[in-house]
Amino acid sequence: MIQIQNLHKSFGSLEVLKGIDLSLEKGKVLVIIGPSGSGKTTLLRCLNLLETPNEGTLRLGNTTVEFGNRRKASKQQTLDLRQSTGMVFQSYNLFPHKTALENVMEAQIVVQKRSKEEARKRSIELLAKVGLSGKEDVYPHQLSGGQQQRVGIARALATDPQVMLFDEPTSALDPELVGEVLKVMKQLAAEGMTMVVVTHEMKFAAEAADTVVLMDDGKILEQGPPQQVLQNPSSERASQFLNLLTEKEV
Amino acid sequence: MDDRKIQIVIDSFLPMVKAALQYTITLAVISFVLGLILAVLVALVRVWKIPVLNQIAIFYVWVIRGTPLLVQLFIIFFGLPSIGIELDPFPAAIIAFTLNMGAYNSEIVRAAIQSIANGQWEAAYSLGMTRGQALRRIILPQATRVSVPPLSNSFISLVKDTSLAYTITVVELFQVAKQITATTYEPLLLYSEAAVIYLIICTVLNALQNVMEKRLSRFSTQ
């Protein structure tokens, strides 16, 4: 479903991704962890081209894009990539001038050209799926953070993406609200959705991930099944980082 | 006030209101609408830093903001005939006021667009929207809410500034007051009457602004 080869990304003189190789099969869940500044969010944002890689190859679904030597994604490739992915943001980024229902309907009408009725029906289903039946006509600011994020998930699902991208979806939430969002994500994973999740939630990584990637300093430090990466990392640097997280949780 | 003065005020009221409707308000509304379209285009050119056009936009805003409206009006009406462009007073006024509004309002629109968090663009893009779709559906509706108070300000200023059009012989509200003064020798009375009519128009506009702000604020937390 996703294949990345030798991906590089720099912001000015700062190299944030230093050659990333990664692949993910359909229906699998990839969790990316790592210290802040390690490039994990940038890597995720490269997948739907919110950031343009400087070099490397990205294949997602049926779209293959090569970067470097003035090669970049065409407009159509960019739109294709974005339509085959759905993104959930750390700060939700819901549209404040639209109700929960309208947030979920928007892309179906504008991008997918579905009829209003069809979009409405699908949106009501999706809000029910994330546990927000009855909140259709509420504006984002009237919802709690956890509810907003669940609308964000419904909005991203509305265009029937092949891959869901989560950028620290629970980092901005009060601790008591984290659970409701993770629950929805686990449900999605169980239904066979292909997911890439950047998170600090180690419990989620352990329970829901098929593969865990530990990034550090723009490179992949560890990669493998969660038991192996989280409990039995091969490098000193990885154990240090994981210990730090465990200490924090105690 | 004696009967003669009262009669002058009454007699001049209708001609002044007629001039206000026919020229003052028409001039203001047309110039504002055209100016706003120009302003949005200029703002987008500047937000997206479109090469060449961006430099032209910066130059245009610099010139218009750095010169008096009265001078711009004179250049267009009295100056342009020297190079063969002769305009009637009304279209000349429309052009001058439109250019003026376009420059000032482009800064308002630009600030409003840039006040919308980048995450809104990103959310729209992540859903597969093009730049135009994101602008139309997501950014402009929010920017509109932000820009209603400053744009209202700008429109109210324009309504009053249309009085400058009397200098190029447009028969707007102030021109009528001036003409009646010339025959009755009652400047205090007639200019005050004109002032009251401007005040009434602006009070109505103020009320409209409040209605619009209320309607647009239904989704806001602040």
Side-chain angles (χ1 to χ4, degrees):
Chain A
M1 179 60 64
I2 302 179
Q3 209 152 19
I4 300 170
Q5 276 160 10
N6 192 31
L7 205 72
H8 288 260
K9 172 67 185 174
S10 300
F11 294 109
S13 59
L14 181 71
E15 194 174 22
V16 183
L17 298 179
K18 303 174 178 171
I20 302 285
D21 295 290
L22 203 61
S23 65
L24 183 66
E25 283 168 43
K26 188 170 166 24
K28 300 288 184 187
V29 176
L30 174 73
V31 170
I32 306 174
I33 58 175
S36 57
S38 58
K40 51 193 192 303
T41 289
T42 304
L43 174 59
L44 190 77
R45 289 163 59 89
C46 282
L47 294 178
N48 63 354
L49 299 183
L50 285 183
E51 306 291 353
T52 308
N54 301 102
E55 207 188 313
T57 309
L58 166 64
R59 192 171 68 76
L60 197 152
N62 301 323
T63 313
T64 306
V65 193
E66 295 197 21
F67 302 92
N69 292 328
R70 298 207 186 139
R71 284 170 306 181
K72 57 173 192 171
S74 69
K75 269 191 184 153
Q76 194 51 51
Q77 282 178 318
T78 305
L79 290 179
D80 286 348
L81 272 183
R82 286 174 178 166
Q83 284 177 33
S84 43
T85 54
M87 187 172 231
V88 176
F89 297 86
Q90 181 177 356
S91 46
Y92 333 131
N93 297 355
L94 294 183
F95 305 132
H97 58 304
K98 294 184 180 294
T99 62
L101 189 73
E102 288 166 348
N103 263 277
V104 184
M105 284 170 69
E106 183 67 14
Q108 298 180 63
I109 293 170
V110 178
V111 179
Q112 299 193 305
K113 315 286 183 206
R114 286 183 188 158
S115 74
K116 251 193 164 162
E117 265 328 293
E118 204 186 339
R120 178 184 303 273
K121 197 168 148 260
R122 176 90 177 113
S123 303
I124 291 172
E125 284 169 16
L126 282 168
L127 285 176
K129 186 186 172 83
V130 298
L132 288 174
S133 285
K135 298 287 184 190
E136 287 84 1
D137 298 325
V138 169
Y139 284 95
H141 76 268
Q142 297 165 299
L143 294 168
S144 73
Q147 291 171 328
Q148 288 191 51
Q149 193 57 297
R150 284 185 282 150
V151 175
I153 295 174
R155 180 178 69 176
L157 286 171
T159 52
D160 303 319
Q162 300 172 41
V163 181
M164 284 285 281
L165 310 173
F166 293 85
D167 183 13
E168 304 199 26
T170 57
S171 297
L173 293 175
D174 291 336
E176 76 271 20
L177 302 177
V178 169
E180 60 188 69
V181 172
L182 292 183
K183 198 179 132 209
V184 171
M185 291 168 62
K186 279 183 196 163
Q187 185 196 334
L188 278 179
E191 288 170 8
M193 175 59 80
T194 314
M195 294 164 57
V196 183
V197 185
V198 171
T199 188
H200 293 291
E201 296 290 334
M202 289 305 141
K203 220 169 141 251
F204 176 82
E207 290 170 12
D210 295 296
T211 309
V212 173
V213 160
L214 200 164
M215 284 185 67
D216 186 37
D217 194 27
K219 283 178 290 216
I220 291 178
L221 204 59
E222 302 270 339
Q223 180 172 1
Q227 304 84 341
Q228 180 199 317
V229 174
L230 298 178
Q231 280 147 32
N232 212 354
S234 56
S235 70
E236 183 62 22
R237 180 85 180 94
S239 338
Q240 270 177 6
F241 170 70
L242 291 168
N243 284 338
L244 225 89
L245 282 183
T246 339
E247 275 168 34
K248 212 167 57 182
E249 270 168 23
V250 175
Chain B
M1 217 158 44
D2 58 45
D3 286 352
R4 177 184 160 266
K5 288 187 179 172
I6 291 172
Q7 199 55 48
I8 291 174
V9 169
I10 293 171
D11 287 347
S12 53
F13 186 73
L14 265 183
M16 280 201 207
V17 168
K18 193 166 160 260
L21 291 175
Q22 198 175 351
Y23 288 107
T24 302
I25 292 178
T26 327
L27 201 53
V29 169
I30 296 175
S31 310
F32 187 78
V33 171
L34 295 179
L36 193 57
I37 295 169
L38 183 61
V40 172
L41 294 177
V42 170
L44 290 177
V45 161
R46 298 205 52 192
V47 168
W48 290 335
K49 299 199 170 61
I50 299 172
V52 186
L53 288 180
N54 190 33
Q55 276 71 40
I56 295 173
I58 291 171
F59 177 78
Y60 157 66
V61 173
W62 173 66
V63 169
I64 297 290
R65 291 208 304 178
T67 54
L69 177 53
L70 187 59
V71 175
Q72 295 160 13
L73 205 57
F74 271 43
I75 289 177
I76 290 170
F77 185 68
F78 296 115
L80 290 187
S82 318
I83 54 166
I85 303 172
E86 285 192 38
L87 294 163
D88 285 339
F90 192 72
I94 295 271
I95 292 172
F97 291 130
T98 297
L99 288 176
N100 198 267
M101 280 291 109
Y104 278 95
N105 290 349
S106 75
E107 292 291 282
I108 292 174
V109 174
R110 184 166 69 100
I113 291 174
Q114 286 175 338
S115 76
I116 306 304
N118 207 28
Q120 292 290 307
W121 286 101
E122 290 187 347
Y125 289 153
S126 78
L127 291 167
M129 288 192 208
T130 61
R131 193 160 72 166
Q133 287 170 334
L135 180 77
R136 250 192 351 268
R137 305 281 310 194
I138 306 303
I139 306 300
L140 281 186
Q142 297 182 61
T144 302
R145 188 178 70 85
V146 180
S147 57
V148 163
L151 285 179
S152 303
N153 227 347
S154 171
F155 185 56
I156 288 170
S157 288
L158 174 64
V159 168
K160 293 174 294 173
D161 285 347
T162 55
S163 58
L164 289 174
Y166 98 89
T167 58
I168 61 167
T169 73
V170 175
V171 196
E172 44 66 65
L173 169 53
F174 183 67
Q175 179 82 287
V176 171
K178 213 168 148 288
Q179 285 169 355
I180 300 175
T181 304
T183 56
T184 57
Y185 309 107
E186 291 290 353
L188 178 61
L189 213 54
L190 286 154
Y191 292 147
S192 301
E193 190 175 358
V196 168
I197 296 175
Y198 279 115
L199 197 56
I200 292 170
I201 297 172
C202 291
T203 306
V204 172
L205 292 176
N206 240 323
L208 282 178
Q209 175 187 347
N210 287 337
V211 172
M212 259 164 78
E213 277 183 43
K214 245 190 208 128
R215 283 191 53 175
L216 287 166
S217 69
R218 66 189 189 281
F219 60 80
S220 122
T221 40
Q222 288 96 33

